[in-house]
Amino acid sequence: MSDATPFTSTLGDTDQSPDGESWNRLRAIIESLADGIVIVDRRGFIRFANPAAARLFTRSPEALLGTSLGTPLVAGETTEMEIVRRGGGEVVYAELRVVDTEWQGETMELVSLRDVTDRKYAEERSRQLSHEREARLAAESASRAKSDFLAIMSHELRTPLNAILGYSELMELGISGDLSETLRDHIGRIRKSARHLLSLVNDILDLAKVEAGRLSVANAPAKVSEAIDSALSLIQPQAEAKNLKIVVIPGADHIPDYIGDDERVRQILVNLLSNAVKCTEPGGMITVEGSSTTTPDPRARLQPRNAHIRFAVTDTGSGIAADKLRAIFEPFVQADSGHTRAVEGSGLGLTIGQKLARAMGGDITVESVLGKGSSFSLWLPANASAPATALADQAAVETSATGCEPAHASVPVAPRRDLKGLGDVARGVVSQLSPLVESVVDRVRCDPALAMATGLRTSQVADHLSTLLADIASALLVIEETAGESSSLLADAMEIQRLVSERHGAQRAALGWTEAALRREFMIIREELERVVLYSVPANGPIQATDAVAMVNRFVDQSEYLSVRSLEKKRDD
């Protein structure tokens, strides 16, 4: 907006209109409006401005008179303009609507200005979030492809490796004839190398399965003492060979059971103990302890307010530098002097262990001082059916007056996050399906960014939205009932989602929708669905509202990704 010689007339003059009394009444109405109103002559100069317009331009109404609006105007059209405010250079955005009017006997344009800065910023943020979601989905797709490749290759490698091991063992037994000591030594080296390679391949296969979501874990009560004993039986020979002392802190027999997969727990503990042995100099000590707590390490990703079992493996070894503590859980990373500095290893042990722990609703944390040693903690959910007294920090199981231990409930409560409670969410979505679809349709029709939806029929706006939402609800129910394991029902649900999403993108392309409009529609769907999900999550239930929303959003994100790809493909054809 440029300056010109101001007019001497002001907003208070009543002689700017042929009818002063009518103008006074009209001026009172215009001055009370929240939207800015200016009247611009044919040369583009402002002849009148209300207080709202003055605030928008950060000038007084009198100062605006006679200045150029600075943007071309066409009656009957809507446009936008940027306004750089004085005193700081703040940029605001205004939506302009222009109509012809009579003013002092001349034909002029009446321009309404609405501040749409917040909406512009919200749209920009929406675009950024959409691009971020698409980038994340693309990255997840690439990660899944990599995991699938690793899983296939690792599986194929194990077959010849097992054959090498089998034949080398047969040769050592003398099946093919007597062996000299030199040949026997060579065959022993072959077998040792093959076992090491097989161990690496198994680690990669486990990692690939975890990342691809194909590694299932059991969730059942198991005794802490048994887990410690079974892991120690495998590690004890290594510790004795290095003259290391392993101390087990008493008390594991008197704490509640953990909930998890006993084989995977043993795998994790063996890895932690093996790392401790490798990183502790001869004559050092390794301590193993089991305990229960209701106040776990805040750094662990655990379900809040629940009791947990802690397995702690502490050594007097070389320790880990503070700047390496987070990196040691990354795949193929080994700290120079830490627990992942394996003499022969892939750097996958802690990565796999942490992923397995989290799959069981637990986590792994570490504390270390360089040169003094480290302490790794495996956290797992405690058996929720244990008595309350047994779930207090370091508390022993109390006995009754008769000396009998209190009986545990026969049915344990599954602790897996994001699974239990999804059925409640699914039933809530189904029960609110009709009003949910209606809310989305109404918002799509009224949204300023989706003007192309105004004249569409309800069936065209909804476009099988109820099918998509019902399918998401069905998938949630299947996930809870199968404890997250793959099933034909879940595969069917994902196939329905893919089909509906791709057809939706193609339909929107045929109607002339843009990618931005389609993403805006999915944002509305996401917001309305989130409202129903939050309403459906019971208070103090087994699932947190944020976890439920995150799970549902993953389905919506995938549907958006498929729809956008379909829309782009349709437009390119």
Side-chain angles (χ1 to χ4, degrees):
M1 189 177 72
S2 60
D3 295 334
T5 303
F7 285 86
T8 57
S9 58
T10 66
L11 295 176
D13 293 336
T14 59
D15 59 356
Q16 294 184 19
S17 170
D19 186 347
E21 182 178 352
S22 298
W23 162 242
N24 283 333
R25 288 196 299 269
L26 180 61
R27 180 168 60 86
I29 296 173
I30 293 175
E31 289 183 348
S32 66
L33 293 176
D35 290 346
I37 300 293
V38 296
I39 294 178
V40 182
D41 62 23
R42 291 299 185 182
R43 295 178 300 161
F45 294 124
I46 297 175
R47 301 288 295 274
F48 167 80
N50 72 343
R55 288 192 297 271
L56 195 61
F57 289 104
T58 61
R59 299 187 183 185
S60 65
E62 293 80 4
L64 288 175
L65 299 180
T67 60
S68 174
L69 184 62
T71 188
L73 301 174
V74 179
E77 291 192 358
T78 300
T79 186
E80 290 184 359
M81 69 179 295
E82 294 183 4
I83 301 173
V84 181
R85 287 177 162 172
R86 291 183 171 182
E90 179 189 3
V91 178
V92 296
Y93 299 89
E95 183 181 75
L96 280 63
R97 297 178 183 272
V98 185
V99 296
D100 288 333
T101 188
E102 291 290 328
W103 180 264
Q104 295 182 335
E106 300 180 40
T107 300
M108 302 189 185
E109 276 78 37
L110 186 148
V111 183
S112 69
L113 302 99
R114 173 165 294 180
D115 188 345
V116 293
T117 305
D118 290 341
R119 190 184 77 190
K120 291 284 289 186
Y121 287 155
E123 290 175 351
E124 179 62 26
R125 179 58 179 161
S126 173
R127 284 191 292 270
Q128 291 177 357
L129 291 174
S130 296
H131 289 310
E132 290 172 4
R133 280 194 298 272
E134 185 168 354
R136 185 179 71 252
L137 289 169
E140 289 176 352
S141 177
S143 179
R144 283 193 296 271
K146 175 207 68 177
S147 299
D148 290 342
F149 171 77
L150 289 175
I152 293 172
M153 291 305 300
S154 299
H155 180 75
E156 293 298 324
L157 287 171
R158 287 200 301 178
T159 301
L161 282 174
N162 283 321
I164 292 172
L165 282 170
Y167 281 112
S168 65
E169 290 172 355
L170 289 175
M171 292 175 68
E172 271 194 317
L173 292 173
I175 299 298
S176 301
D178 294 336
L179 300 175
S180 66
E181 288 302 318
T182 300
L183 191 55
R184 189 179 298 276
D185 181 62
H186 289 337
I187 293 174
R189 293 175 183 270
I190 292 173
R191 189 180 73 254
K192 182 178 179 182
S193 297
R195 283 180 175 173
H196 172 59
L197 185 55
L198 182 60
S199 174
L200 298 181
V201 169
N202 286 335
D203 282 347
I204 295 174
L205 182 59
D206 273 351
L207 178 64
K209 284 182 177 179
V210 170
E211 291 187 341
R214 296 174 181 173
L215 187 63
S216 60
V217 293
N219 282 275
K223 293 188 177 301
V224 176
S225 58
E226 292 179 0
I228 294 175
D229 291 342
S230 61
L232 287 176
S233 65
L234 298 174
I235 294 298
Q236 195 71 44
Q238 299 179 28
E240 292 176 353
K242 287 192 67 174
N243 191 28
L244 299 177
K245 182 180 181 182
I246 297 182
V247 177
V248 180
I249 304 298
D253 290 328
H254 303 296
I255 60 177
D257 294 346
Y258 67 88
I259 298 291
D261 188 318
D262 57 347
E263 291 187 8
R264 294 301 182 180
V265 171
R266 181 174 63 249
Q267 176 183 346
I268 297 170
L269 291 177
V270 167
N271 179 261
L272 296 181
L273 287 165
S274 177
N275 285 342
V277 169
K278 293 171 183 176
C279 296
T280 304
E281 295 298 324
M285 184 172 68
I286 299 172
T287 304
V288 183
E289 181 182 10
S291 59
S292 65
T293 179
T294 54
T295 55
D297 190 330
R299 294 171 300 175
R301 291 170 47 177
L302 303 173
Q303 193 76 18
R305 300 183 299 278
N306 286 353
H308 289 85
I309 301 301
R310 174 182 179 239
F311 296 87
V313 177
T314 305
D315 64 62
T316 58
S318 53
I320 306 170
D323 59 346
K324 300 286 183 66
L325 287 178
R326 296 184 65 180
I328 61 174
F329 290 101
E330 296 298 323
F332 308 106
V333 172
Q334 293 185 335
D336 292 338
S337 59
H339 277 61
T340 53
R341 182 187 53 80
V343 176
E344 292 180 339
S346 60
L348 291 175
L350 289 176
T351 303
I352 295 171
Q354 188 178 66
K355 290 181 180 295
L356 287 173
R358 290 178 176 176
M360 292 183 285
D363 204 354
I364 296 179
T365 58
V366 59
E367 295 178 354
S368 185
V369 177
L370 191 60
K372 294 186 178 181
S374 306
S375 178
F376 281 79
S377 296
L378 167 62
W379 305 88
L380 291 170
N383 186 5
S385 62
T389 54
L391 299 178
D393 290 353
Q394 306 296 334
V397 177
E398 297 181 354
T399 57
S400 64
T402 60
C404 299
E405 291 187 354
H408 289 186
S410 58
V411 181
V413 178
R416 290 191 59 172
R417 249 181 330 198
D418 300 335
L419 298 183
K420 283 295 183 180
L422 289 179
D424 294 326
V425 176
R427 286 182 284 273
V429 172
V430 172
S431 66
Q432 295 294 314
L433 195 56
S434 293
L436 177 56
V437 173
E438 291 176 5
S439 297
V440 172
V441 170
D442 290 342
R443 285 192 58 183
V444 168
R445 280 178 167 164
C446 298
D447 195 288
L450 300 175
M452 68 286 292
T454 304
L456 297 179
R457 299 187 300 273
T458 299
S459 59
Q460 290 178 304
V461 178
D463 189 39
H464 304 298
L465 175 60
S466 59
T467 303
L468 176 63
L469 297 176
D471 182 63
I472 292 175
S474 175
L476 295 175
L477 189 60
V478 171
I479 290 173
E480 182 189 61
E481 292 179 346
T482 61
E485 296 182 0
S486 59
S487 68
S488 59
L489 288 176
L490 184 58
D492 290 344
M494 299 307 296
E495 178 62 20
I496 293 172
Q497 180 190 16
R498 182 193 64 78
L499 179 62
V500 173
S501 302
E502 289 180 349
R503 293 290 179 87
H504 181 70
Q507 187 253 23
R508 289 309 193 231
L511 292 173
W513 284 43
T514 63
E515 177 185 340
L518 182 58
R519 293 191 182 280
R520 175 61 183 169
E521 179 187 25
F522 269 97
M523 178 168 286
I524 293 173
I525 294 172
R526 193 175 288 104
E527 291 173 352
E528 291 299 312
L529 185 56
E530 179 177 334
R531 177 179 55 80
V532 174
V533 170
L534 292 175
Y535 177 80
S536 303
V537 175
N540 301 321
I543 188 171
Q544 296 294 310
T546 53
D547 291 337
V549 170
M551 175 68 76
V552 171
N553 280 342
R554 289 184 62 184
F555 286 100
V556 180
D557 288 348
Q558 180 69 13
S559 183
E560 178 181 350
Y561 177 71
L562 293 170
S563 292
V564 169
R565 288 186 57 184
S566 178
L567 177 138
E568 293 174 343
K569 181 180 179 182
K570 183 71 173 180
R571 290 191 307 185
D572 293 339
D573 290 344

